[in-house]
């Protein structure tokens, strides 16, 4: 597969993509903090499936940072088993897209 064909749709929408991912990550961070608050007050919680979906959409960095800022879900093995591979996938995709984008603008 030709990589330039894959990235051809990203170039004009790169700034929009950055903003959307920033919003997803901010939501992930806020949702982890909100879930921690609800857990400490014995209230209805946000489902892990919602966190997985948000992480898949691109909010995995916010979720990961929120986990350690709020000390929430850091010892839950099943949660970590899903979040860490998504984190690695998104790190790989981020490096790939950013390196491609900046290679065009030298």
């Amino acid at each position: 597969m030709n990589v330039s064909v894959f990235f051809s749709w990203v170039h004009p929408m790169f700034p929009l993509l950055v903003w959307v991912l920033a919003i997803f990550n901010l939501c992930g961070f806020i949702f982890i903090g909100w879930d921690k608050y609800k857990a400490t007050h014995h209230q209805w919680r946000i489902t892990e499936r919602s966190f997985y979906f948000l992480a898949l959409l691109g909010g995995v960095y916010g979720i990961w940072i929120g986990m350690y800022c709020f000390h929430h879900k850091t010892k839950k093995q099943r949660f970590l088993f899903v979040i860490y591979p998504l984190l690695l996938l998104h790190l790989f995709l981020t490096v790939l897209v950013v390196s491609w984008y900046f290679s065009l603008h030298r």
Side-chain angles (χ1 to χ4, degrees):
M1 181 176 159
N2 188 352
V3 176
S4 63
V5 172
F6 175 73
F7 287 121
S8 63
W9 67 273
V10 175
H11 177 59
M13 296 189 335
F14 189 76
L16 177 64
L17 181 65
V18 169
W19 278 106
V20 168
L21 289 176
I23 290 168
F24 282 150
N25 282 294
L26 181 62
C27 287
F29 184 81
I30 290 168
F31 286 176
I32 283 284
W34 189 25
D35 193 54
K36 174 70 177 195
Y37 173 82
K38 287 177 168 255
T40 57
H41 289 85
H42 306 290
Q43 296 178 357
W44 175 83
R45 308 266 309 274
I46 299 170
T47 64
E48 286 186 4
R49 201 173 278 184
S50 299
F51 286 120
Y52 299 155
F53 183 67
L54 184 60
L56 188 62
L57 289 177
V60 70
Y61 302 123
I63 291 170
W64 182 65
I65 292 169
M67 284 170 49
Y68 291 97
C69 284
F70 298 113
H71 304 285
H72 188 52
K73 294 193 179 284
T74 56
K75 295 185 193 257
K76 191 159 189 178
Q77 294 298 316
R78 186 177 64 182
F79 190 76
L80 297 176
F81 186 73
V82 175
I83 291 298
Y84 281 146
L86 285 173
L87 180 65
L88 291 175
L89 173 68
H90 280 277
L91 278 172
F92 173 74
L93 291 174
T94 301
V95 168
L96 193 65
V97 170
V98 169
S99 65
W100 172 82
Y101 182 78
F102 284 114
S103 71
L104 290 179
H105 294 90
R106 283 187 183 191

